[in-house]
Amino acid sequence: MVKILTGLWILLCVVVVADGYVRLAPSDPKVWHKPLKFIENKELAGGVERVIEGSPADLARLDSIIRQTPRTKVLAGSVDDAHLTYVTRSAVFGFPDYTTVELTDGQIRIFGRLRFGRSDLGVNRNRVDGWLSALQTR
């Protein structure tokens, strides 16, 4: 019984330390806020790339939609710069996902990706596609 309790305490400590690291790890804009080079839609194991036709007004509306998303904050950039990066954290464990949005040559490019792990199980795809759907219905 003592071994079981000791094992549970060790497991709990590991979970608390891992969660603390995930929640407190710094988000360096130099790492996550970079120009986007892709030119077509793509599905990735840990994210998604999307390209749509867009204008500065569309970018401003998209920014408004994204800022209304729970647990989402701007990491870097602005609508005036036509280049923004957001951090959206998961509800339970606070895992950060990064989304970069850029307006270039009449196109809005969006790159949503995870920070930790190898697969996001479609979370970034669903979030980005939801934002784009809301943009089209406005």
Side-chain angles (χ1 to χ4, degrees):
M1 184 66 158
V2 172
K3 287 184 180 183
I4 292 173
L5 288 175
T6 301
L8 289 174
W9 275 108
I10 290 171
L11 179 62
L12 178 64
C13 289
V14 168
V15 168
V16 167
V17 168
D19 185 53
Y21 176 75
V22 165
R23 289 181 184 273
L24 300 175
S27 294
D28 186 354
K30 293 177 191 169
V31 173
W32 300 103
H33 186 66
K34 294 183 176 183
L36 302 178
K37 307 275 189 208
F38 59 88
I39 57 171
E40 59 186 25
N41 293 339
K42 192 174 194 181
E43 307 288 326
L44 308 167
V48 66
E49 297 173 345
R50 293 288 185 256
V51 180
I52 63 167
E53 295 295 317
S55 67
D58 293 326
L59 179 63
R61 286 195 306 276
L62 182 59
D63 175 62
S64 175
I65 291 165
I66 293 171
R67 288 174 187 256
Q68 293 173 20
T69 304
R71 300 173 309 282
T72 299
K73 295 182 179 182
V74 175
L75 174 65
S78 70
V79 171
D80 291 337
D81 295 338
H83 186 202
L84 299 107
T85 299
Y86 307 88
V87 180
T88 304
R89 293 193 172 269
S90 64
V92 177
F93 291 107
F95 285 104
D97 288 333
Y98 297 89
T99 305
T100 300
V101 179
E102 183 177 79
L103 176 64
T104 304
D105 299 326
Q107 292 183 325
I108 295 176
R109 297 178 184 158
I110 306 172
F111 179 31
R113 69 267 193 210
L114 55 70
R115 175 170 181 175
F116 297 106
R118 293 186 181 165
S119 173
D120 68 352
L121 303 173
V123 170
N124 282 291
R125 180 192 66 234
N126 293 340
R127 181 183 306 118
V128 168
D129 288 348
W131 290 337
L132 294 177
S133 177
L135 178 64
Q136 291 174 352
T137 59
R138 279 192 172 185

